[in-house]
Amino acid sequence: MHEDVSKILRTIPSMDKLLVLEWVEGFCTLLGRKTTKLIIEGVLENYRNEVLRGNVRDVNLKFLYDEIRKALDKASRHNLTPVVNATGVIVHTNLGRSCLADDVASDVRLISSRYSNLEYDLERGKRGHRYDHVEWILCQLTGAEAALVVNNNAAAVLLCLTALAGDGEAIISRGELIEIGESFRIPDIMSFSGAKMIEVGTTNRTHLYDYERAINENTRIVLKVHPSNYRIVGFHSEVGRRELTELAHSRGLLVMEDLGSGFLVDLSAYGLKGEPTIGQCIEEGVDIVTFSGDKLLGGPQIGGIVGKKDLISKLKKHPLLRALRVDKMTLAALESTLRIYLREDYAKIPTLAMIMTDLERLKAKAENLANLFRGIFSKDDGWEVEVIEVKDLVGGGAFPDDELRGFGVAITPPDTIGPSKFAALLRQLDTPVVANVDQERIIFHVRTMGDGEDALVSSEIEGRLKELLLWGMWGNPQ
């Protein structure tokens, strides 16, 4: 090794000297001494390699300390963190889907921090069943004979097909063989369940006689699947739910429907039409209905299963259920959410409240946010702030053809910064903000911004304005 290189390496501070620095000791408290040492050693190793490559001629302690501080600071922050959703997509899958009501979150905290009667019957003093806590309420709200919940809707579909059709055939329209997020494909789930998939009809048109011709002694179930974000328009037809159930029942077969999002109340008064509630599916004769809990229902992630009592009983006895069951926190959140539906206090469920918010309130909310921004961004410095009409979306695969009229705030940054850099800075705030980039503007959709988040966002932006200006002039200062 060259003598100059050895000399440079010897001037790199030792681990013992670094660990006694006051700011490093603070990270030891946050991360633990062992983890802190490992992170520092990683930074030092990278720095030594740069020296050996000849890229470092002299040790820059300020640069080295900054690199160590950045690495420790990143490791000390929680990976899963709250964000401000300014996209206008209510059920935003990437941002955690539905938010729980405040009362629901309190109930989850109570149950999660104490012992509970999760699987204990307090009246009999014997072992109970965890699903009893929500089954009665789901039956009341949907009109079903029995109910069960698993950890998500894909699991619900898998369990039902495995238990009810795993030894035979399941008929499905070609137009419903969908793929949704993360390559979740209905044909794959059917294959994994053991049920043999029988496709009928064509992509755009399926008739009752297509189902009728496919029925044989091996048929176990007729499956309907919600198309999620996929739609066929124009020359298109499908078999009505009641017609399909009448045919299936006349042949001694079951009808199962995967509703995807699924919801409990009629939303047509808010311009969202054309999709059935869970209860309407049961009313029209469907034997088993599956749905998600964290989409339009506005609760935690679950896969709901409601339907005939004898079928639900069969599902409860299937060994696969053990692998798909939900925990006490999920059940607490679900029961608390469902009790809000029992009281018909729908505005307390954030997902529904966002859908139901009227235009006047949205406009007032946008005006308030715009005024806060105008106090930060000067028109003389090249910033433009204006209130605009926007189109919001339900999200989560529900009502993809329907847009909700709303209001937002559009910010046009100066050319030295541009919308992409501004959007990147918003994502680096202490409370990250995810907004929409539209050509030269950043648009904040206020429908999906929570109470008080307008003041929070403006305050954090104001605190980072100097950094933003530097970023615009010289690029990311980090």
Side-chain angles (χ1 to χ4, degrees):
M1 184 184 298
H2 195 279
E3 184 178 345
D4 290 343
V5 173
S6 299
K7 184 178 179 180
I8 295 172
L9 290 174
R10 287 195 298 271
T11 60
I12 296 175
S14 68
M15 181 66 72
D16 290 338
K17 288 183 178 180
L18 290 170
L19 288 173
V20 297
L21 295 173
E22 185 177 352
W23 59 272
V24 174
E25 289 179 340
F27 284 109
C28 288
T29 302
L30 288 171
L31 295 168
R33 186 178 177 87
K34 181 179 179 181
T35 302
T36 301
K37 286 178 66 176
L38 287 172
I39 294 169
I40 293 175
E41 184 55 46
V43 176
L44 294 179
E45 184 65 23
N46 289 336
Y47 197 74
R48 292 189 193 103
N49 289 335
E50 290 300 307
V51 173
L52 293 172
R53 294 188 188 102
N55 296 328
V56 177
R57 300 295 182 184
D58 191 19
V59 174
N60 184 334
L61 286 179
K62 183 180 182 306
F63 173 82
L64 182 59
Y65 287 176
D66 284 346
E67 290 298 300
I68 292 172
R69 190 189 298 272
K70 282 194 292 185
L72 291 171
D73 184 60
K74 181 179 180 180
S76 65
R77 293 196 300 267
H78 281 262
N79 295 322
L80 190 60
T81 186
V83 303
V84 174
N85 177 8
T87 67
V89 180
I90 297 171
V91 183
H92 198 305
T93 298
N94 301 131
L95 302 183
R97 292 183 175 170
S98 286
C99 303
L100 297 179
D102 290 340
D103 291 348
V104 173
S106 296
D107 288 343
V108 173
R109 179 178 176 83
L110 176 65
I111 293 299
S112 64
S113 61
R114 299 179 63 179
Y115 290 107
S116 66
N117 62 329
L118 176 65
E119 289 189 348
Y120 188 77
D121 190 320
L122 294 171
E123 290 185 5
R124 298 188 303 148
K126 295 181 180 180
R127 182 184 179 92
H129 302 283
R130 65 179 59 206
Y131 306 108
D132 292 348
H133 301 294
V134 296
E135 183 171 19
W136 175 83
I137 309 176
L138 279 169
C139 291
Q140 291 295 308
L141 294 170
T142 64
E145 295 176 4
L148 180 64
V149 294
V150 290
N151 56 13
N152 61 31
N153 189 47
V157 174
L158 176 62
L159 176 62
C160 291
L161 287 174
T162 303
L164 305 177
D167 62 344
E169 298 177 353
I171 301 174
I172 183 172
S173 167
R174 281 192 177 89
E176 296 174 359
L177 293 175
I178 61 165
E179 175 182 324
I180 58 175
E182 299 184 0
S183 299
F184 172 81
R185 291 183 170 187
I186 288 296
D188 293 341
I189 292 294
M190 296 181 74
S191 175
F192 191 71
S193 73
K196 182 179 180 181
M197 180 179 70
I198 304 298
E199 305 173 39
V200 297
T202 62
T203 302
N204 62 318
R205 290 175 70 83
T206 302
H207 304 279
L208 188 64
Y209 59 75
D210 292 316
Y211 290 97
E212 193 168 11
R213 290 171 180 172
I215 295 173
N216 60 48
E217 66 276 7
N218 297 316
T219 307
R220 299 289 182 271
I221 204 166
V222 177
L223 176 64
K224 277 189 66 65
V225 177
H226 186 277
S228 189
N229 289 326
Y230 169 68
R231 287 291 184 273
I232 300 174
V233 296
F235 192 57
H236 167 248
S237 68
E238 60 183 275
V239 180
R241 191 174 290 104
R242 198 174 292 278
E243 285 182 281
L244 195 58
T245 56
E246 287 177 355
L247 170 64
H249 293 166
S250 71
R251 300 295 187 89
L253 300 175
L254 307 175
V255 175
M256 170 183 162
E257 183 161 4
D258 168 16
L259 268 184
S261 180
F263 51 100
L264 293 169
V265 295
D266 186 358
L267 297 172
S268 59
Y270 305 97
L272 301 175
K273 301 177 181 180
E275 296 196 12
T277 64
I278 301 165
Q280 286 169 346
C281 293
I282 294 294
E283 186 180 341
E284 292 184 14
V286 178
D287 301 291
I288 287 285
V289 180
T290 70
F291 55 91
S292 296
D294 57 348
K295 294 184 179 179
L296 272 178
L297 195 142
Q301 176 185 295
I302 59 100
I305 308 171
V306 296
K308 297 291 175 56
K309 188 173 183 177
D310 60 330
L311 302 178
I312 298 293
S313 296
K314 190 172 182 178
L315 298 179
K316 289 179 179 178
K317 296 173 184 176
H318 198 280
L320 183 59
L321 178 61
R322 175 83 179 185
L324 306 176
R325 73 180 187 180
V326 295
D327 71 333
K328 61 183 179 181
M329 290 180 284
T330 302
L331 285 170
L334 180 60
E335 180 185 0
S336 188
T337 300
L338 294 176
R339 288 189 177 279
I340 295 175
Y341 279 98
L342 281 179
R343 300 192 298 269
E344 298 184 2
D345 199 2
Y346 307 133
K348 281 195 173 181
I349 297 175
T351 298
L352 296 185
M354 291 179 195
I355 291 173
M356 297 173 178
T357 305
D358 61 56
L359 279 172
E360 288 187 9
R361 185 177 175 188
L362 290 173
K363 187 174 183 179
K365 192 174 179 179
E367 291 284 6
N368 182 64
L369 181 61
N371 288 333
L372 290 171
F373 283 156
R374 290 184 183 113
I376 301 171
F377 303 114
S378 171
K379 192 170 184 178
D380 294 338
D381 293 330
W383 295 87
E384 294 286 344
V385 178
E386 59 180 327
V387 173
I388 62 171
E389 287 198 32
V390 296
K391 299 294 184 183
D392 299 324
L393 296 171
V394 173
F399 300 102
D401 296 330
D402 296 314
E403 295 176 329
L404 300 169
R405 288 182 61 203
F407 283 91
V409 178
I411 296 181
T412 305
D415 293 338
T416 53
I417 296 172
S420 296
K421 286 183 179 179
F422 187 33
L425 180 86
L426 292 174
R427 297 193 301 270
Q428 301 305 315
L429 296 174
D430 292 337
T431 304
V433 179
V434 182
N436 289 337
V437 178
D438 177 34
Q439 296 181 341
E440 300 304 315
R441 306 181 298 179
I442 295 291
I443 299 177
F444 296 76
H445 294 243
V446 297
R447 184 189 297 272
T448 50
M449 295 177 66
D451 293 338
E453 288 187 341
D454 49 359
L456 174 68
V457 170
S458 62
S459 175
E460 291 199 13
I461 289 176
E462 189 170 20
R464 300 283 291 275
L465 186 59
K466 183 178 180 181
E467 178 182 342
L468 172 62
L469 296 175
L470 289 173
W471 198 348
M473 292 169 62
W474 295 302
N476 188 343
Q478 296 183 359

